[in-house]
Amino acid sequence: MSQAPLPKLIIASSDHDADMLYATGFFVPDAFLFLQQGQRTTIVLSDLEIDRGRKEARVDKIVAYSDISKRLKKGASFVAHAVAFLQERKVRRAAVPASFPLGLARDLEKAGIKLVPQPGLFWPEREHKTADELKWMRQATAITEAGMGRGVEVLRASKIGPKKALRWNGRPLTSEILRAEIDSAILRAGGVPANTIVAGGEQACDPHERGHGPLRAHELIILDIFPRSAASGFYGDLTRTVVRGRASDAQRQLWDTCLEGQKRAFGAIKPGQPGKAVQDSVREFFTAQGYPTEQRNGRWSGFFHGLGHGLGLEIHESPRIAATTFHPGQVVTVEPGIYIPGLGGVRHEDVITITKTGHRLLSSFPKVLEV
């Protein structure tokens, strides 16, 4: 006879914890308690949040923190409230996310409540997006494209000054100024920007360099934008690489080769296909075109990161392309990049969902080298 599944317990802020947001559909800035026993879900909320929770939270029952307080000594701690709530429901063992706070876990276990951390995804179904979740992700992608549109618009309006320095509105155009314009457009579109990348020249050779200082004409500029929808909590993610001015032959060849690598990946991605084989084939293509992955003078050159990652309530979530076999419902980025110190970096990134027969693009922003 199989054992009944353990109750599932989360204590976290849904503003910052994707598992809690997935479980409740409800944004709360402070940590609160979620419990699932069988199919029944309950949360414990402070009086500050309880009326809003009754209207917005996708759970079966809401318990007021103050109702538990009535049965405890005055000034009882949060842990004492959690213990009382769990003991009243005869919870002696519970499954928790691997990220469950260590100090809180020790306090609960001192009170006789055994916690069992779950490896991998706490909610495995998060990897398979529903029709509603795909709609929310398309909305997040539209927000991302609004930011990208503003970035390209400002670059196009900039002037090329002495020593190839870009100027906009009568002053030098810097990564910081362009990032602020992109982020402002994201806010107006209903998103929350996060560490937008505007990296030109040599800075673009470091894939996660945010970019700083003056931008220059005739150099490759990577714009990587990954905001969160304020309404749903889902992320968008989009990268384009542009040159304000004229691209050199070497820059154009790099850009075209990276784009062809992405097209080859798109052509190979379908259910049942191992992601690592697709990633390896793109890297082999880049090597054959003269861009091997290697270290030069202590710096990496070529395509030295993964082909893509899962996207949803976290900017990087399961699956990583190299660690999965594709199946319907997954949403992943496809973002090959080639980075050549002394020349610059190129990355093309789009978001796709895996379908029963192949995949479908969620992003549609055009790819143009020169603006």
Side-chain angles (χ1 to χ4, degrees):
M1 186 174 179
S2 62
Q3 287 186 330
L6 287 175
K8 286 194 163 188
L9 173 67
I10 308 175
I11 300 177
S13 157
S14 55
D15 274 12
H16 306 289
D17 187 278
D19 286 327
M20 183 64 101
L21 182 59
Y22 184 85
T24 64
F26 175 55
F27 288 100
V28 180
D30 299 312
F32 63 106
L33 188 149
F34 166 90
L35 178 69
Q36 178 176 308
Q37 291 177 289
Q39 297 301 311
R40 187 168 177 79
T41 56
T42 305
I43 57 176
V44 178
L45 292 177
S46 70
D47 292 347
L48 178 68
E49 304 288 0
I50 199 159
D51 284 346
R52 192 167 63 91
R54 287 170 179 151
K55 290 180 285 187
E56 299 178 19
R58 298 194 299 262
V59 295
D60 298 312
K61 185 176 181 180
I62 298 176
V63 173
Y65 187 89
S66 58
D67 285 346
I68 302 173
S69 298
K70 294 173 185 176
R71 302 189 290 276
L72 300 175
K73 293 180 180 179
K74 186 176 181 180
S77 67
F78 178 88
V79 171
H81 284 72
V83 168
F85 171 83
L86 295 170
Q87 287 178 342
E88 287 169 3
R89 285 152 184 80
K90 298 182 171 54
V91 175
R92 301 185 186 282
R93 285 168 53 87
V96 297
S99 59
F100 196 89
L102 177 60
L104 185 54
R106 286 177 171 170
D107 288 340
L108 291 176
E109 293 194 334
K110 284 178 185 177
I113 298 167
K114 174 69 174 176
L115 302 182
V116 183
Q118 302 297 291
L121 282 174
F122 192 64
W123 306 110
E125 54 269 40
R126 272 182 56 194
E127 192 174 311
H128 308 86
K129 273 48 177 188
T130 66
D132 280 343
E133 288 170 335
L134 287 173
K135 178 185 72 175
W136 296 331
M137 295 202 70
R138 285 192 292 271
Q139 291 170 349
T141 299
I143 291 168
T144 310
E145 292 184 339
M148 187 66 73
R150 180 56 177 162
V152 172
E153 179 182 43
V154 171
L155 280 170
R156 186 172 284 124
S158 67
K159 307 298 182 184
I160 301 174
K163 298 182 179 179
K164 302 190 294 184
L166 294 180
R167 297 185 66 82
W168 180 68
N169 279 353
R171 57 177 175 166
L173 179 61
T174 64
S175 292
E176 292 84 353
I177 289 172
L178 187 53
R179 180 161 42 246
E181 289 296 314
I182 292 169
D183 289 353
S184 295
I186 287 167
L187 287 165
R188 288 192 294 270
V192 181
N195 297 312
T196 298
I197 292 172
V198 179
E202 280 298 296
Q203 293 176 26
C205 294
D206 182 348
H208 279 174
E209 164 65 57
R210 292 188 67 203
H212 57 274
L215 293 168
R216 293 165 60 82
H218 319 310
E219 290 187 344
L220 293 161
I221 301 171
I222 289 180
L223 306 176
D224 189 349
I225 305 173
F226 36 97
R228 191 184 196 195
S229 166
S232 69
F234 281 89
Y235 280 87
D237 200 357
L238 187 70
T239 303
R240 294 292 183 263
T241 306
V242 298
V243 170
R244 172 65 182 99
R246 295 293 181 185
S248 68
D249 290 344
Q251 290 168 339
R252 186 174 296 278
Q253 181 179 348
L254 188 68
W255 194 92
D256 286 341
T257 301
C258 188
L259 183 59
E260 177 62 25
Q262 190 192 44
K263 290 177 179 177
R264 288 172 177 245
F266 286 151
I269 291 173
K270 59 185 178 180
Q273 175 69 37
K276 187 175 186 303
V278 179
Q279 178 173 290
D280 289 347
S281 70
V282 172
R283 185 168 284 116
E284 289 165 5
F285 169 71
F286 289 160
T287 297
Q289 298 302 305
Y291 304 113
T293 299
E294 60 185 6
Q295 280 194 311
R296 297 179 181 175
N297 301 318
R299 297 186 68 187
W300 279 103
S301 176
F303 176 33
F304 52 86
H305 57 68
L307 181 62
H309 55 84
L311 187 70
L313 290 174
E314 294 176 284
I315 185 62
H316 293 146
E317 65 177 45
S318 184
R320 288 186 301 110
I321 281 183
T324 194
T325 297
F326 296 112
H327 48 268
Q330 292 176 318
V331 172
V332 297
T333 67
V334 181
E335 50 177 309
I338 312 175
Y339 312 91
I340 308 297
L343 177 60
V346 173
R347 185 163 65 253
H348 299 298
E349 178 183 25
D350 289 278
V351 181
I352 65 169
T353 180
I354 310 302
T355 66
K356 292 180 180 179
T357 57
H359 67 273
R360 183 171 69 253
L361 275 163
L362 299 186
S363 49
S364 60
F365 196 89
K367 297 183 180 77
V368 177
L369 171 57
E370 294 177 338
V371 297

